[in-house]
């Protein structure tokens, strides 16, 4: 059973992030764009016992992490206390690779 859900704030190896989705089965995650403009993907293994979280990173972009790589984040994402956490999700969607599909990890 996943520990985190959409819009939860988490700490990742790449810094604070917002959970965008939880995957409980294997999926392809876009990781780059090649010289011809084709999306490069890698297979990510996930299951109900070992879910993978798709997160929007505070510094921009998105990534996939398993439960062992994320923990609760109690800090704020902004100097403004009333900032909408959904704004971070919007920034992640603007990332270069993410813009190819609505949910690129759900191909």
């Amino acid at each position: 059973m996943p520990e985190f859900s959409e819009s939860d704030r988490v700490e990742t190896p790449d810094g604070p992030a917002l959970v965008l989705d939880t995957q409980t089965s294997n999926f392809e995650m876009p990781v780059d764009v090649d010289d011809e403009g084709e999306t490069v993907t890698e297979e990510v293994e996930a299951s109900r016992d070992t879910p993978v979280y798709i997160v929007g990173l505070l510094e921009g972009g998105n990534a996939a992490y398993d439960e062992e790589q994320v923990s609760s984040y109690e800090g704020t994402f902004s100097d403004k206390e009333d900032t909408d956490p959904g704004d971070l999700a919007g920034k992640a969607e603007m990332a270069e690779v993410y813009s190819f599909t609505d949910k690129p990890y759900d191909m």
Side-chain angles (χ1 to χ4, degrees):
M1 180 117 215
E3 182 178 343
F4 301 103
S5 59
E6 281 187 35
S7 78
D8 284 349
R9 296 173 184 184
V10 293
E11 182 68 41
T12 73
D14 294 314
L18 185 72
V19 175
L20 302 175
D21 199 8
T22 303
Q23 294 293 309
T24 56
S25 61
N26 295 351
F27 64 98
E28 294 287 321
M29 178 79 176
V31 293
D32 203 355
V33 177
D34 66 18
D35 293 338
E36 287 90 40
E38 297 292 321
T39 302
V40 177
T41 63
E42 68 179 31
E43 185 170 344
V44 178
E45 294 183 11
S47 70
R48 285 192 181 281
D49 294 331
T50 56
V52 171
Y53 300 103
I54 308 300
V55 301
L57 298 166
L58 181 61
E59 297 300 318
N62 58 67
Y65 298 102
D66 62 37
E67 273 192 321
E68 294 179 0
Q69 296 175 296
V70 296
S71 59
S72 293
Y73 179 76
E74 301 301 325
T76 60
F77 287 154
S78 169
D79 293 337
K80 301 175 187 173
E81 288 298 319
D82 61 347
T83 299
D84 178 10
D87 290 344
L88 179 60
K91 289 178 183 175
E93 290 177 14
M94 299 294 286
E96 183 177 339
V97 172
Y98 202 97
S99 66
F100 288 100
T101 66
D102 289 336
K103 288 188 174 184
Y105 49 84
D106 193 22
M107 293 181 170

